[in-house]
Amino acid sequence: MAKYNYDKSALKGLGVGAFLSEVKVREAHIAAAGDEMPQSVFNSNILAEKLHPEKQCVKIAKVVDHDDARSYTLVPDTSRGTEGMAYFRAGQYVAVELNIEGARLFKPYSICSGPKDALNGSYTLTIRRSKGGYASEYILDNWKEGDQVTISGPQGDFYYQGLRDAKHVVAMAGGSGITPFYSMACAVADGIEDFDLTILYGSRTKDTILLKEELEAVAARSNSRVKVVHVLSDEAAEGYEHGFITAELIRKYAGEEDYSLFLCGPKAMYDFADKQIAELGLPRRRARKELYGEYGDPARDASYPKENQGKSFSLTVSIRGEKQTISCRANQTLLSAMEQAGIKAPSRCRSGQCGWCHSRLVSGEVFIPDEADGRREADKKFGWIHPCCTYPLSDIELDVPAIM
């Protein structure tokens, strides 16, 4: 049996001098180098950090008024280490970090601008004043050009996915729920996304339509791939649909071809839309809702124990072994109670879906609405909850992850 399994003849003409001299070259480089250990970072890790940063430090570069709403253009704040804006899919959102009189919270807002703007170094958030809206009222009353703001990286999966969604998307929007669809319209017009978009946009009157002129401008440059149909609930006017967005109206504008239905708007619209969607007979994968925002008063759920209304309980929060006990009202989420007490608890979607606030229930009884319960089966089995959609039924102890 041969000692070697390769042909050595090609090596016989090679001298060892070049290899020996290379040793001296390497020794010289080592001697000239510093004492710090060299760092090696894979390109994939660099890309991941750019696309999925935990936070982005930005400044408000421009503010545009829309009566009861404002658009805020955000650009990188290089003085705090952010060099560029993370790219996103049209329809995603960011969580804005707020400190409102000591209450620390993260509030999700859809990115209104198109992905092309991110490549050019900006996002736009269009925020409408909501009556009693804790965050929106603070933002509209306080944010101004030049202010520093901290936001998350892009979040959520409310965007077009060709393997699942039909080539024609019918968007059902209500109020400020137009913002992710405006981003999608921009992406289609810019050639970034490849689908046809018909937006059924519900407003009260012509004068309350948010981003009306901007939508018309995007539709005009989309080569007929974006269509906008305004539906007015409180006013009948020529050129507008009147009433609510019903199954009949959806069929009218969806046409005969296959389509996906995307919804974004207030909970009242969702409650109405659920009945309309049932009439359409769409496959489950073809109807999608953007779910961000708190559930609200749990008493509206038929399964909620009504004897709990008006009560308050103690909530003991443990973060890295440090405990703090606060009060939590029965109609208040555990997340909201922590935020108002100044505890910096993790959150993003605030609707029980993303899992960012995932925490361990150490003790106590809680109520979680079925509609907002986005936990995995393992979470339910081993006592993990999403505080953003969880309400106390007794005194509670909670183990919460720290924000890095």
Side-chain angles (χ1 to χ4, degrees), residues 183-193 217-219 221-223 225-226:
S183 180
M184 292 182 195
C186 291
V188 171
D190 291 333
I192 293 174
E193 294 284 6
V218 173
R221 65 181 180 86
S222 72
N223 197 25
R225 300 202 72 181
V226 175

Side-chain angles (χ1 to χ4, degrees), residues 226-244:
V226 175
K227 298 179 176 64
V228 183
V229 179
H230 292 289
V231 184
L232 307 179
S233 61
D234 297 356
E235 178 183 11
E238 186 176 352
Y240 297 82
E241 293 285 355
H242 178 53
F244 297 100

Side-chain angles (χ1 to χ4, degrees), residues 296-348:
D297 187 355
R300 67 189 180 94
D301 192 301
S303 61
Y304 181 76
K306 300 301 187 286
E307 64 272 13
N308 253 41
Q309 295 184 53
K311 292 183 179 180
S312 290
F313 302 98
S314 68
L315 169 59
T316 300
V317 181
S318 176
I319 300 179
R320 287 183 173 172
E322 295 187 8
K323 293 187 178 182
Q324 182 177 347
T325 300
I326 61 176
S327 178
C328 182
R329 301 187 305 275
N331 65 347
Q332 183 179 30
T333 64
L334 304 182
L335 175 65
S336 175
M338 288 188 285
E339 291 171 339
Q340 291 188 17
I343 298 174
K344 196 173 181 180
S347 75
R348 287 295 183 265

Side-chain angles (χ1 to χ4, degrees), residues 66-93:
H66 310 285
D67 293 328
D68 62 343
R70 284 182 183 154
S71 290
Y72 300 92
T73 300
L74 309 178
V75 297
D77 186 353
T78 56
S79 68
R80 294 190 290 153
T82 297
E83 300 295 332
M85 305 301 290
Y87 190 71
F88 65 92
R89 294 293 302 274
Q92 289 191 296
Y93 68 89

Side-chain angles (χ1 to χ4, degrees), residues 267 270-271 289 291 295 300-301 351 353 369-373:
K267 286 186 174 59
Y270 285 4
D271 292 341
K289 297 178 186 176
L291 294 175
Y295 182 80
R300 67 189 180 94
D301 192 301
S351 64
Q353 303 302 312
D370 288 339
E371 179 184 334
D373 193 354

Side-chain angles (χ1 to χ4, degrees), residues 50-324:
K50 288 182 177 180
L51 293 177
H52 308 290
E54 184 173 339
K55 69 176 182 179
Q56 301 181 86
C57 299
V58 298
K59 293 188 297 186
I60 300 173
K62 183 179 179 182
V63 180
V64 177
D65 283 317
H66 310 285
D67 293 328
D68 62 343
R70 284 182 183 154
S71 290
Y72 300 92
T73 300
L74 309 178
V75 297
D77 186 353
T78 56
S79 68
R80 294 190 290 153
T82 297
E83 300 295 332
M85 305 301 290
Y87 190 71
F88 65 92
R89 294 293 302 274
Q92 289 191 296
Y93 68 89
V94 291
V96 176
E97 184 175 349
L98 299 169
N99 187 334
I100 305 176
E101 297 179 349
R104 308 289 293 274
L105 66 149
F106 295 86
K107 178 66 175 178
Y109 290 105
S110 290
I111 305 171
C112 187
S113 50
K116 185 177 179 180
D117 285 359
L119 296 177
N120 294 327
S122 73
Y123 291 174
T124 297
L125 305 182
T126 298
I127 300 172
R128 194 171 215 163
R129 187 183 296 275
S130 174
K131 187 176 180 181
Y134 189 54
S136 67
E137 289 189 347
Y138 173 83
I139 290 172
L140 268 67
D141 290 341
N142 290 276
W143 278 15
K144 60 185 181 301
E145 189 174 316
D147 283 357
Q148 294 180 323
V149 179
T150 300
I151 63 176
S152 71
Q155 305 286 321
D157 60 1
F158 188 67
Y159 50 78
Y160 179 79
Q161 297 185 21
L163 292 177
R164 176 191 56 203
D165 298 317
K167 202 71 172 179
H168 182 198
V169 172
V170 177
M172 183 174 173
S176 59
I178 190 60
T179 52
F181 300 131
Y182 181 78
S183 180
M184 292 182 195
C186 291
V188 171
D190 291 333
I192 293 174
E193 294 284 6
D194 182 21
F195 62 93
D196 296 320
L197 178 63
T198 299
I199 303 174
L200 306 180
Y201 185 15
S203 304
R204 293 185 180 277
T205 64
K206 290 187 296 182
D207 295 336
T208 61
I209 298 175
L210 182 60
L211 301 177
K212 182 176 184 295
E213 294 179 359
E214 291 86 348
L215 281 165
E216 291 172 353
V218 173
R221 65 181 180 86
S222 72
N223 197 25
S224 300
R225 300 202 72 181
V226 175
K227 298 179 176 64
V228 183
V229 179
H230 292 289
V231 184
L232 307 179
S233 61
D234 297 356
E235 178 183 11
E238 186 176 352
Y240 297 82
E241 293 285 355
H242 178 53
F244 297 100
I245 303 175
T246 61
E248 181 181 0
L249 193 66
I250 293 170
R251 289 194 192 97
K252 176 180 176 180
Y253 288 99
E256 299 299 323
E257 300 297 325
D258 189 19
Y259 66 94
S260 288
L261 183 64
F262 284 24
L263 294 86
C264 186
K267 286 186 174 59
M269 187 189 87
Y270 285 4
D271 292 341
F272 177 81
D274 285 342
K275 300 174 184 177
Q276 307 305 311
I277 294 172
E279 292 184 26
L280 295 172
L282 288 173
R284 185 176 178 182
R285 71 182 186 281
R286 289 292 196 241
R288 303 177 55 204
K289 297 178 186 176
E290 173 61 309
L291 294 175
Y292 61 73
E294 293 183 356
Y295 182 80
D297 187 355
R300 67 189 180 94
D301 192 301
S303 61
Y304 181 76
K306 300 301 187 286
E307 64 272 13
N308 253 41
Q309 295 184 53
K311 292 183 179 180
S312 290
F313 302 98
S314 68
L315 169 59
T316 300
V317 181
S318 176
I319 300 179
R320 287 183 173 172
E322 295 187 8
K323 293 187 178 182
Q324 182 177 347

